[in-house]
Amino acid sequence: MSSPTASAPSPTTTPANPRSRVITASLVGTTIEFYDFYVYATAAVLVFPILFFPTGNETTALLASFGVFGAAMVARPLGAVVFGHFGDKFGRKATLVASLLTMGIATFLIGFLPTFNEIGLWAALLLLILRLAQGFALGGEWSGAALVATENAPAGKRAWYGTFPQLGAPLGFIIANTIFLLINFALPHPEGAAQRSEAFLAWGWRVPFLFSAVMVIIGLWVRLRLVESETFTKAEAKGAIRKFPLGETIRKHWWQLILGTFIMLATYVLFYLMTSFTLSYGTKAATETARSAAEAAGTPFDAATYIPGLGFGYTDFVIMQIIGVVFFGIFTLLSGPVADAIGRRKLLLWVTAAIAVFGLTFNVFLLPQLDPMFTGALVQAFLIFGFMLMGATFGPMGAILPELFPTNVRYTGSAISYNVSSILGAALAPIVAVALWAATGGQPWLVGVYLTGSAVLTIIALALSKETKDVDYDDNLGLGETGSL
């Protein structure tokens, strides 16, 4: 057992990375990465079904678009393995720079892609390749940012510091969707301000993808100023670094991989339901509105196969989402001090139980009412409650997943858990949600049951795990049988 002063920093020691640099590097990088990811998520609903997957059926086009969206989640575990290997073997800094560059280049190139009308199926194939590159990059980004934050955190504040890379998710969402809104507002709307314009579909959607280049330059400038964390350099000095971190992780920490994957599951499902699914459901026209539009356009309409939504205009609904995401950011930050005070596991058990209950309320909040204003109020309340829960569950993940693993495999272990969970949660969530929405003829209650089931699996994983609040990074380098501190 270590003495009370074994891991305490010397009062005269200056941190290798100043606090402001640690916070900025972990926050700015993930904000850019999530911005790039959300730009695609928004386009997957608004643009890609029309321009890249013109199947002739709105539901199948949306499913095809979400299929490519989900393909990135499959690439994320591969990114986790590759970036985790280099991050655990050679250090966090260079790995973080590489992941940011990969994501930025892929996103920038999407802004130049020709559409289906120009090159046919090649358009969808190129989009898929660049989407896979995005997923590959994000597979290494999150864990590196979380490690930069938590490995440089003062004693007793690791969960608080771990919320800063998490804050990149709501900030990236707000920036991405605000840019889409500004572009949409600036373009002409012959059919009404609430509708997408032809100019938006022709070229306006490309601007957010191209703008990512500016954000990447800023992120690189911040991250190149980092130095390696003292925890990693200590592991190097003690001979704890492994030639093949993945093998070490699977062989000695397989149980933590499983627990981490399912601890993250409900968070992923909740987030992608609150963003991608609700945007699809909220902006899909009601049956009578769609029938009238089809008659005016002289196109056939089959009410039996049409899946109705709430009929909000795109701009109106995205503004409602942004209001909800503000609460996401607030509760992400608030969750850190609470997790430091009472423990990560206890907080997450309570929050995940609340998510399970929330999943049973979808028909309470998301069915159209006689009064459109009452419908809007219910949907706004739903978005606020959902994003509050999202912040409370997402914030502690920046601490609990890295704390499951020792320093010499921390990047690999936390990255694999986080990103395998993305397949089970994020990749499937939009597709399963659309299928369940269609199966109920346009009602969302089965989608909520799906969220509740995911929350139950996360509660089981938390119940089987141990509290990690008091894990000492300096005493957990991963030396194994060769020594200990």
Side-chain angles (χ1 to χ4, degrees), residues 122-159:
W122 285 102
L125 179 60
L126 291 173
L127 181 64
L128 174 61
I129 292 171
L130 293 177
R131 181 60 180 160
L132 291 171
Q134 280 190 318
F136 180 79
L138 193 56
E141 162 60 29
W142 176 85
S143 294
L147 266 57
V148 165
T150 58
E151 289 184 346
N152 289 280
K157 294 185 177 180
R158 201 157 56 214

Side-chain angles (χ1 to χ4, degrees), residues 71-306:
M73 309 304 175
V74 178
R76 284 172 64 164
L78 178 59
V81 170
V82 174
F83 287 112
H85 173 84
F86 289 107
D88 280 329
K89 191 171 182 180
F90 301 110
R92 319 318 194 190
K93 176 183 172 179
T95 309
L96 277 171
V97 170
S99 68
L100 184 61
L101 271 175
T102 305
M103 173 67 90
I105 292 171
T107 306
F108 184 72
L109 290 178
I110 289 175
F112 287 104
L113 282 181
T115 64
F116 181 89
N117 286 338
E118 295 168 314
I119 60 171
L121 291 175
W122 285 102
L125 179 60
L126 291 173
L127 181 64
L128 174 61
I129 292 171
L130 293 177
R131 181 60 180 160
L132 291 171
Q134 280 190 318
F136 180 79
L138 193 56
E141 162 60 29
W142 176 85
S143 294
L147 266 57
V148 165
T150 58
E151 289 184 346
N152 289 280
K157 294 185 177 180
R158 201 157 56 214
W160 164 238
Y161 268 58
T163 61
F164 287 101
Q166 307 301 80
L167 193 60
L171 288 178
F173 181 91
I174 290 172
I175 295 171
N177 283 281
T178 298
I179 290 176
F180 265 111
L181 282 177
L182 291 174
I183 294 167
N184 198 38
F185 276 128
L187 295 175
H189 295 74
E191 297 181 2
Q195 303 302 316
R196 291 186 296 260
S197 70
E198 288 302 316
F200 181 78
L201 289 175
W203 60 268
W205 67 271
R206 299 180 184 273
V207 176
F209 290 93
L210 301 178
F211 180 73
S212 68
V214 177
M215 301 184 69
V216 168
I217 291 170
I218 296 171
L220 288 174
W221 178 76
V222 173
R223 286 190 167 175
L224 286 171
R225 299 177 66 208
L226 286 172
V227 297
E228 199 54 71
S229 72
E230 292 183 11
T231 300
F232 181 81
T233 55
K234 182 176 288 188
E236 274 190 314
K238 293 287 183 177
I241 304 303
R242 297 293 181 255
K243 291 182 178 179
F244 188 48
L246 175 62
E248 179 90 355
T249 305
I250 294 173
R251 186 172 63 254
K252 295 186 177 179
H253 306 285
W254 59 270
W255 180 239
Q256 287 90 339
L257 285 174
I258 295 172
L259 289 178
T261 297
F262 284 94
I263 285 172
M264 187 69 198
L265 180 65
T267 304
Y268 264 127
V269 174
L270 175 62
F271 180 73
Y272 282 93
L273 293 185
M274 295 304 299
T275 52
S276 296
F277 169 72
T278 58
L279 182 61
S280 301
Y281 178 72
T283 57
K284 187 77 176 289
T287 301
E288 289 307 314
T289 304
R291 187 196 306 275
S292 299
E295 290 175 354
T299 57
F301 179 80
D302 184 359
T305 60
Y306 183 76

